[in-house]
Amino acid sequence: QVQLVESGGALVQTGESLRLSCSASGRRFSIKRMAWYRQAPGKQRELVAAVSPTGGANYVDSVKGRFTISGDFARNSVYLQMNSLKPEDTAVYYCNAAVTVYSGSYYITEKTSEYWGQGTQVTVSS
């Protein structure tokens, strides 16, 4: 099993910045992709940004130019730098990772699954 733990959510004012962090822990795994999702009250969860070990990143249009995702795959961590925050960025932010877990000693088996953190609240006041 793999656990994801997020931190960094807070209450801020419009125009301020926040940095979210997420770290994965467990045994015998490798991460294929890490991402941040968010879910506002009454809305569906949406992908905010994603990054791969090769460094490629993609963003939802509403955060382009304001948010930056960075992955430290050697430390199984991902960060989301959020600048120029707006009230519409208010949501619970979830860390997500596509992870391959290895098991067995003589014969190694692999299983790739998605894992989620518990979420961290970001509130932007106007």
Side-chain angles (χ1 to χ4, degrees):
Q1 287 293 327
V2 174
Q3 293 79 41
L4 302 180
V5 178
E6 306 113 328
S7 63
L11 169 64
V12 297
Q13 295 188 341
T14 297
E16 293 186 339
S17 298
L18 275 178
R19 186 175 188 247
L20 304 182
S21 300
C22 172
S23 291
S25 62
R27 293 185 61 195
R28 300 177 69 189
F29 68 95
S30 63
I31 298 178
K32 306 303 182 185
R33 186 197 80 151
M34 298 193 83
W36 288 96
Y37 286 73
R38 66 186 178 186
Q39 187 166 21
K43 295 188 177 181
Q44 288 189 333
R45 190 172 297 189
E46 69 170 350
L47 175 64
V48 177
V51 65
S52 69
T54 59
N58 59 281
Y59 300 87
V60 66
D61 285 347
S62 60
V63 307
K64 286 180 180 178
R66 299 188 299 122
F67 291 11
T68 302
I69 189 171
S70 58
D72 184 349
F73 288 88
R75 292 179 172 82
N76 300 316
S77 297
V78 65
Y79 309 95
L80 187 67
Q81 178 65 42
M82 305 185 293
N83 299 328
S84 303
L85 283 161
K86 304 175 180 180
E88 49 264 43
D89 296 317
T90 295
V92 178
Y93 284 71
Y94 296 92
C95 179
N96 168 273
V99 179
T100 297
V101 176
Y102 305 92
S103 58
S105 54
Y106 190 76
Y107 294 104
I108 305 299
T109 60
E110 304 179 7
K111 181 179 180 182
T112 299
S113 306
E114 288 206 4
Y115 291 84
W116 294 89
Q118 79 285 357
T120 185
Q121 177 70 47
V122 173
T123 303
V124 185
S125 64
S126 57

